[in-house]
Amino acid sequence: MKAAFVVLALALGAANAFVPHPAAPRRARTVRSATVAEPEKATAFDLKEYLETKRVSVEKALDDSLQVTCPEVKTITESMKYSLNAGGKRVRPIMCIAACEMFGGTEEMAMPTAVALEMIHTMSLVHDDLPAMDDDDLRRGVPTNHVVYGEDIAILAGDALLSTAFEHCAAHTKGVPAERLVEVLRRLGESVGAVGLAGGQVMDLQCEGKEGVTLQELQWIHAHKTAALLKVAVTAGAILAGASEEEIKACETYALDVGLAFQVADDILDVTASTEELGKTAGKDEAVDKTTYVKLIGLEESKIEARRLVEDAVKALSPFGEKAAPLIGIADYIVARKN
């Protein structure tokens, strides 16, 4: 009973120490410029090497995170691992590690949260691909989870990935004060709830084929559906390392802009890249009459908007100097990627 009071006290203390700061609604911008300058290339920081080094570390941690512990859980564990280990850019876990290191933390300190983030992201992809949602049969170049294991197992695998994410983060994070870990867990939960990924996904579905969807509504969808998980990736890394409240707010600003830029880039790629390049079905947004940036403001202005968002994101990290190089490089990479 005494232990329960201690845990409750920690949770309440963390809630008071970290008051969330919701992002202010963004006003729609009318872009008038016809061209955009190419971003300057970083010379002192090798982003490609950094991403590959971190990706290898993340892949190992992901592979170690799920094991068949008894015959009865073989099917569900294999289904979870099928999607979790299907490759991908691992942007979210790498951003978490980069933010932690920017404030003096370590990869080891951030890795359990990084793994949890990828589990949550993978859950969202498994559920997104279901016939009741986006109804897709290809993800990361391989058949989607429900195609291989059936809809019933895919739903349960997604559920299990979500719950295991919190378990893994709580059980394996070492060398971090309890109040920081409680705040990270709170933010992870918020990022997938009604004011996070789930709420954004619902509004996205409701706007399919709907006339008169505004740019402000589209921004709300992606601030929650896409940017919420990127925001918790960066802020969680900062919190684990002991960043101040002001530093965490700067990270939130960066991540919101990067998250929106990520979605704008996705909308652009859906109409400019092939299925082979994307690893998923190209042209799907137009086929289901989904509201996208390209649909609302056009292809060229979408490219300009993506670059503007990245420039704003980079400005938010200016106080951190060279330590921010990985996150700045990732922001540029997000709009330059081909899949």
Side-chain angles (χ1 to χ4, degrees):
M1 190 69 172
K2 183 178 179 182
F5 281 117
V6 171
V7 173
L8 179 59
L10 283 173
L12 290 173
N16 290 329
F18 294 90
V19 179
H21 299 273
R26 293 180 169 271
R27 291 181 298 175
R29 292 174 172 85
T30 302
V31 182
R32 303 186 188 281
S33 174
T35 61
V36 62
E38 287 294 316
E40 293 181 8
K41 306 297 182 189
T43 56
F45 178 72
D46 189 334
L47 178 65
K48 185 176 181 181
E49 181 181 352
Y50 178 86
L51 290 176
E52 180 58 19
T53 300
K54 295 301 184 187
R55 186 195 65 78
V56 170
S57 296
V58 169
E59 293 289 357
K60 183 180 186 309
L62 290 173
D63 193 49
D64 292 343
S65 67
L66 295 175
Q67 302 297 330
V68 177
T69 56
C70 63
E72 290 82 359
V73 300
K74 184 174 183 290
T75 298
I76 185 71
T77 305
E78 286 181 351
S79 178
M80 293 163 71
K81 287 180 74 76
Y82 174 81
S83 292
L84 187 65
N85 294 348
K89 297 174 282 294
R90 310 307 191 192
V91 169
R92 292 156 192 82
I94 293 174
M95 290 175 81
C96 178
I97 295 167
C100 188
E101 292 177 337
M102 183 168 74
F103 293 107
T106 65
E107 180 181 296
E108 182 182 12
M109 181 187 294
M111 189 60 79
T113 302
V115 168
L117 286 159
E118 195 66 11
M119 286 181 175
I120 292 171
H121 175 56
T122 302
M123 171 279 297
S124 75
L125 301 182
V126 171
H127 285 178
D128 251 8
D129 292 333
L130 289 166
M133 300 275 276
D134 287 352
D135 192 15
D136 216 327
D137 57 6
L138 192 67
R139 172 71 69 176
R140 292 170 174 170
V142 298
T144 48
N145 197 293
H146 70 272
V147 171
V148 177
Y149 290 95
E151 289 181 45
D152 49 359
I153 303 300
I155 292 169
L156 293 169
D159 293 345
L161 281 166
L162 179 59
S163 58
T164 303
F166 291 90
E167 176 192 0
H168 187 87
C169 183
H172 296 281
T173 302
K174 308 297 181 185
V176 175
E179 63 271 17
R180 295 184 195 172
L181 180 55
V182 170
E183 174 62 8
V184 166
L185 292 169
R186 185 194 69 77
R187 285 178 178 246
L188 284 171
E190 183 181 58
S191 74
V192 291
V195 291
L197 193 154
Q201 179 68 47
V202 167
M203 189 166 176
D204 190 31
L205 290 169
Q206 290 175 334
C207 287
E208 285 185 7
K210 181 181 175 182
E211 293 293 328
V213 178
T214 66
L215 186 57
Q216 290 95 331
E217 289 174 316
L218 183 63
Q219 288 170 335
W220 193 96
I221 290 171
H222 295 305
H224 296 81
K225 179 184 174 184
T226 305
L229 200 53
L230 289 170
K231 186 171 78 170
V232 74
V234 180
T235 57
I239 290 166
L240 290 168
S244 69
E245 198 168 325
E246 184 178 356
E247 289 167 336
I248 293 167
K249 286 180 68 176
C251 288
E252 288 177 339
T253 299
Y254 160 85
L256 177 59
D257 284 325
V258 166
L260 291 174
F262 191 101
Q263 187 60 51
V264 178
D266 256 11
D267 290 353
I268 292 168
L269 287 170
D270 190 68
V271 298
T272 60
S274 66
T275 296
E276 291 71 29
E277 289 173 317
L278 291 176
K280 60 182 180 180
T281 307
K284 196 72 184 291
D285 291 345
E286 186 177 3
V288 298
D289 197 19
K290 186 182 287 288
T291 302
T292 67
Y293 284 90
V294 174
K295 179 180 177 180
L296 292 187
I297 63 176
L299 180 59
E300 292 307 312
E301 290 190 351
S302 293
K303 291 178 180 178
I304 296 168
E305 177 68 356
R307 174 49 51 194
R308 184 196 64 75
L309 286 163
V310 166
E311 289 170 355
D312 286 352
V314 169
K315 287 177 187 174
L317 297 185
S318 60
F320 310 123
E322 293 182 0
K323 292 180 180 180
L327 289 176
I328 290 172
I330 290 170
D332 277 328
Y333 163 75
I334 277 172
V335 295
R337 64 195 166 94
K338 302 301 181 185
N339 57 35

